[in-house]
């Protein structure tokens, strides 16, 4: 299936990537695709931001002893299965003489039953753990449904294509959310200023950023809808005077993309 033509699949994979449930070759494949797809990178960053914000609001919880016991059962079951596999691969040995033959056979039968029981226990434990995980995912989804509606997103990068700023826009609240995802930090006598770049018109300042990791700015819906690009310039402390053009260099820029319905 072509992920570029299936926004729902791209969103699902990005969520799994951020949650950590996308593993192995599938995770490496996603990372390869994301390197060449700005929309996919932005979707993954959005999910990482959502999950991080949810986690920050939750109190620390010590795992239940039951969880640790289930993990121990899974490990023990795997050891039992490996031991049984090793036993099957061993060469046959002569049976003990006399009545000891039956006692030896009973011992191996007992080991087989124990191994089967351990395997069954692992399966049952795994099913219960999956059910619990599904419940947690559903609870997380309910929390995420209360998060702001993101209609536009942009990943602003430097001239080496290194992502430095994630920008999202919620039209309901008229809020832009800017999250630093790079290592750049301006000097204390400088400020970063965000600009909308409408085609055929002068750049319009959308606000001056503070030095915080996450900054919220207010923007008119019309300014966002008619601007296919955003840029960030380095300006004197406090930004340029209202109504004037940028004076500093463009540090980061990127396309403003409307998210899938």
């Amino acid at each position: 299936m072509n992920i570029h033509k299936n926004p729902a699949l791209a969103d699902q994979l990005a969520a799994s990537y951020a949650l950590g449930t996308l593993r192995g070759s599938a995770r490496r494949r996603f990372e390869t695709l994301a390197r060449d797809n700005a929309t996919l990178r932005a979707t993954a960053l959005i999910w990482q931001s959502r999950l991080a914000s949810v986690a920050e609001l939750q109190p620390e919880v010590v795992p239940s002893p039951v969880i640790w016991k289930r993990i121990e059962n899974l490990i023990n079951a795997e050891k039992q299965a490996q031991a049984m596999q090793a036993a099957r691969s061993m060469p046959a040995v002569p049976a003990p003489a006399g009545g000891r033959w039956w006692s030896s056979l009973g011992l191996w039968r007992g080991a087989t039953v124990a191994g089967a029981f351990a395997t069954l226990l692992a399966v049952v434990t795994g099913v219960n753990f999956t059910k619990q995980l599904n419940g947690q995912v559903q609870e997380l989804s309910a929390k995420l449904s209360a998060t702001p509606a993101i209609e536009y997103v942009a990943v602003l990068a430097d001239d080496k294509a290194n992502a430095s700023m994630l920008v999202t826009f919620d039209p309901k609240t008229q809020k832009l959310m800017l999250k630093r995802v790079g290592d750049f930090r301006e000097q204390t006598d400088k400020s970063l200023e965000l600009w909308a770049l409408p085609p055929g018109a002068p750049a319009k300042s959308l606000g001056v950023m503070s030095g915080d990791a996450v900054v919220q700015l207010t923007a008119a819906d019309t300014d966002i809808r008619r601007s296919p690009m955003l840029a960030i310039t380095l300006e004197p402390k406090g930004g340029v005077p209202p109504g004037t053009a940028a004076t500093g260099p463009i540090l980061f820029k990127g396309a403003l993309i409307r998210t899938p319905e």
Side-chain angles (χ1 to χ4, degrees):
M1 184 178 293
N2 191 337
I3 190 174
H4 303 291
K5 298 180 180 180
N6 194 328
L9 176 61
D11 187 72
Q12 181 180 358
L13 290 174
S16 299
Y17 180 84
L19 191 59
T21 56
L22 192 67
R23 299 177 181 176
S25 59
R27 188 176 186 86
R28 292 191 293 272
R29 171 67 174 164
F30 179 87
E31 290 172 343
T32 300
L33 292 172
R35 278 195 291 268
D36 300 323
N37 189 315
T39 303
L40 198 57
R41 291 198 303 272
T43 305
L45 288 170
I46 289 171
W47 274 104
Q48 289 172 346
S49 178
R50 287 173 172 175
L51 293 172
S53 63
V54 170
E56 290 172 357
L57 297 176
Q58 301 305 308
E60 293 185 0
V61 178
V62 177
S64 166
V66 176
I67 299 298
W68 292 116
K69 186 62 178 177
R70 288 174 178 172
I71 295 174
E72 182 182 353
N73 289 338
L74 286 172
I75 295 174
N76 291 338
E78 184 176 356
K79 290 181 178 179
Q80 286 277 3
Q82 292 174 351
M84 291 175 61
Q85 184 65 31
R88 293 192 188 101
S89 62
M90 291 177 62
V93 296
R100 287 182 296 173
W101 185 87
W102 285 105
S103 61
S104 178
L105 179 60
L107 174 63
W108 282 106
R109 284 175 175 170
T112 303
V113 172
F117 178 76
T119 303
L120 177 62
L121 178 62
V123 172
V124 172
T125 302
V127 170
N128 290 337
F129 183 77
T130 300
K131 289 181 179 179
Q132 182 180 13
L133 179 60
N134 288 339
Q136 292 174 350
V137 170
Q138 291 176 359
E139 181 181 355
L140 178 61
S141 298
K143 292 177 179 178
L144 291 178
S145 63
T147 59
I150 296 175
E151 186 172 331
Y152 287 89
V153 61
V155 178
L156 307 187
D158 59 21
D159 56 0
K160 296 181 180 180
N162 296 317
S164 298
M165 198 78 62
L166 172 66
V167 184
T168 59
F169 178 67
D170 179 3
K172 295 181 180 179
T173 60
Q174 305 284 287
K175 296 296 183 183
L176 280 164
M177 191 72 68
L178 295 91
K179 181 173 183 179
R180 296 175 187 252
V181 294
D183 298 328
F184 179 84
R185 293 295 181 271
E186 62 274 22
Q187 297 177 349
T188 56
D189 62 339
K190 300 289 184 179
S191 293
L192 297 182
E193 189 159 357
L194 179 66
W195 300 83
L197 306 178
K204 181 174 182 178
S205 174
L206 298 178
V208 178
M209 297 180 57
S210 66
D212 297 335
V214 179
V215 177
Q216 184 173 274
L217 300 174
T218 300
D221 185 71
T222 53
D223 290 337
I224 299 299
R225 292 185 183 277
R226 65 185 183 183
S227 300
M229 297 282 293
L230 295 178
I232 290 179
T233 60
L234 184 65
E235 304 294 347
K237 188 69 174 180
V240 299
T244 61
T247 61
I250 295 178
L251 297 182
F252 317 118
K253 61 182 178 181
L256 187 60
I257 302 169
R258 187 167 187 173
T259 58
E261 295 292 340

